[in-house]
Amino acid sequence: MTPHRPYTLIAELTYRCPLHCAYCSNPVDYASATGAELSTDDWLRILGEAEALGVVQVHFTGGEPLARKDLESLVARARALGLYANLITSGVPLTRARMQALADAGIDNVQLSVQHADAEGTWRVADLDAFDAKIAAAAWVKELGLPLTVNVVLHRENLDRVGDLIALAERLGADRLELANTQYHGFALTNRDALLPTRAQLDAAFAIASGARARLHGKMELVYVRPDYFSDVPKACMDGWARRYIHMTPDGTALPCHAARSLKHLAFPSVREHALAWIWEESPAFQAYRGEAWMKEPCASCDARGRDFGGCRCQAFALTGDAAAADPSCTLAPGHGIVTEARLRASHAASTSEGAKRMLVYRGRPAR
């Protein structure tokens, strides 16, 4: 039996979403990945099995979880089990009545995704006029006395507006602001040359965020996450492979993280066929990169291997074709040149009029 206990269930209820964000982490082969969604009864069972394993919090996400008509029932089940329930939403399909129903069901926190500081920028990134709907959604959350987290995925298109994004979160009354630089998986990897920022952009944004964090201390928590491509050492992705998180896809496939489905050499199990306890404790896919036995050099003898766990397996596979390779974001990785080359291309593109506004590939849309 694994000594690791999962504490978070990421319940990806559906891939349906009104937005088409250019950095979306949903599968690029979206059409082939959208199988039949789990039923309400399936999700109610999964929540119970997750709690029995030791899970203490659940993130209801998607796609857009509000596309599921049974969301209130799932939130009520989580509350009955004593799970902390977080709703991660675009806010676009939300109504005042729906927000009230979710509050009554027991939702503990609402995390609202914001793409840009204004309507024009939001449309450019998400391919939808969604800004006003987000403002309204935030107001309803606060009106009902619920904690509000504003999450912004940062990239070349909006990094220069970090100050405006912080000001927007303040106006919305956010209790927490997450400024998270893009992780290059899914559509974000497809759009990497258009989204990867320059170091100058990152340094300027970090300085602004640091000043705001000090100013807002005690009023609003501000988190700024640097991008992997500009770090010297890799992050402990998901706190290590299959150590703390279970990610459930809409069709019932269980994953250690949202991008793991891209590792085609692994057969990830489904909760339609297996109990969640077996998946966590015994399935070969969850065992594959758990611990240190799989590590190659330089990870195998690195003093940081118990802290960063070799970095991201999905990023290693996407960039090198080998999921057991050292994460190329690490300066010691043999594949680190892939990252430095991408940074150089981004810097060149940002300095030219042709590269400044590259065409973006949107989920379910033609490039423009």
Side-chain angles (χ1 to χ4, degrees):
M1 180 177 293
T2 173
H4 305 299
R5 188 199 81 176
Y7 64 66
T8 299
L9 173 68
I10 301 174
E12 200 171 36
L13 301 179
T14 180
Y15 283 141
R16 290 174 285 162
C17 185
L19 305 186
H20 305 90
C21 297
Y23 55 74
C24 183
S25 62
N26 285 165
V28 174
D29 56 342
Y30 175 70
S32 63
T34 50
E37 294 178 1
L38 291 172
S39 68
T40 303
D41 287 342
D42 287 331
W43 278 114
L44 294 176
R45 171 177 59 82
I46 291 165
L47 289 168
E49 291 183 11
E51 190 276 334
L53 269 176
V55 165
V56 296
Q57 61 180 345
V58 56
H59 298 310
F60 291 109
T61 183
E64 174 50 66
L66 290 166
R68 292 277 303 216
K69 295 181 180 180
D70 58 358
L71 179 57
E72 289 84 347
S73 297
L74 304 186
V75 171
R77 172 64 168 161
R79 168 54 65 89
L81 290 167
L83 300 175
Y84 183 89
N86 180 37
L87 172 64
I88 303 175
T89 177
S90 69
V92 174
L94 192 62
T95 63
R96 173 63 172 74
R98 191 89 193 268
M99 192 64 252
Q100 179 70 66
L102 288 165
D104 292 342
I107 201 71
D108 290 294
N109 184 76
V110 177
Q111 180 174 315
L112 179 68
S113 68
V114 171
Q115 284 70 36
H116 216 289
D118 56 38
E120 181 180 357
T122 299
W123 200 327
R124 162 74 177 162
V125 175
D127 197 35
L128 188 75
D129 184 9
F131 187 75
D132 290 344
K134 293 174 182 294
I135 302 301
W140 294 325
V141 172
K142 297 303 296 183
E143 180 186 338
L144 292 170
L146 292 168
L148 172 66
T149 296
V150 170
N151 176 267
V152 185
V153 177
L154 298 176
H155 42 76
R156 191 193 307 168
E157 294 273 337
N158 62 8
L159 258 173
D160 296 334
R161 300 287 301 278
V162 161
D164 294 330
L165 287 162
I166 294 170
L168 174 62
E170 289 184 77
R171 291 198 302 274
L172 296 179
D175 301 279
R176 176 182 171 91
L177 171 61
E178 297 179 0
L179 298 171
N181 279 277
T182 301
Q183 299 295 307
Y184 291 95
H185 302 290
F187 286 86
L189 183 58
T190 300
N191 287 307
R192 185 180 62 186
D193 287 350
L195 297 178
L196 196 66
T198 65
R199 187 175 292 279
Q201 278 186 300
L202 286 167
D203 290 345
F206 181 72
I208 293 170
S210 296
R213 183 187 297 116
R215 176 176 60 82
L216 295 169
H217 180 70
K219 299 178 182 178
M220 181 175 74
E221 182 183 4
L222 194 156
V223 178
Y224 182 92
V225 182
R226 285 183 177 271
D228 291 349
Y229 278 51
F230 291 85
S231 299
D232 293 332
V233 295
K235 298 184 182 72
C237 184
M238 304 295 287
D239 198 23
W241 179 275
R243 293 183 75 251
R244 293 289 179 259
Y245 291 82
I246 301 175
H247 188 109
M248 293 297 311
T249 67
D251 66 2
T253 303
L255 305 171
C257 72
H258 67 281
R261 208 170 197 166
S262 64
L263 277 58
K264 301 299 184 183
H265 61 287
L266 294 179
F268 290 101
S270 171
V271 291
R272 298 181 192 271
E273 302 166 359
H274 301 283
L276 201 57
W278 179 88
I279 290 173
W280 179 258
E281 296 170 356
E282 301 183 43
S283 66
F286 273 62
Q287 298 281 2
Y289 303 108
R290 184 184 270 153
E292 300 177 5
W294 59 271
M295 290 184 179
K296 301 178 180 181
E297 294 295 349
C299 298
S301 59
C302 181
D303 291 341
R305 67 185 183 278
R307 297 192 301 271
D308 61 32
F309 310 106
C312 179
R313 297 303 87 222
C314 302
Q315 185 158 267
F317 181 76
L319 299 184
T320 73
D322 180 5
D327 186 337
S329 66
C330 180
T331 54
L332 299 177
H336 186 62
I338 300 170
V339 169
T340 57
E341 182 182 348
R343 292 202 304 253
L344 288 171
R345 285 202 309 270
S347 180
H348 174 73
S351 66
T352 64
S353 58
E354 180 181 348
K357 284 289 185 180
R358 291 180 64 95
M359 293 175 64
L360 294 173
V361 177
Y362 300 96
R363 189 188 72 163
R365 303 282 203 205
R368 71 175 193 187

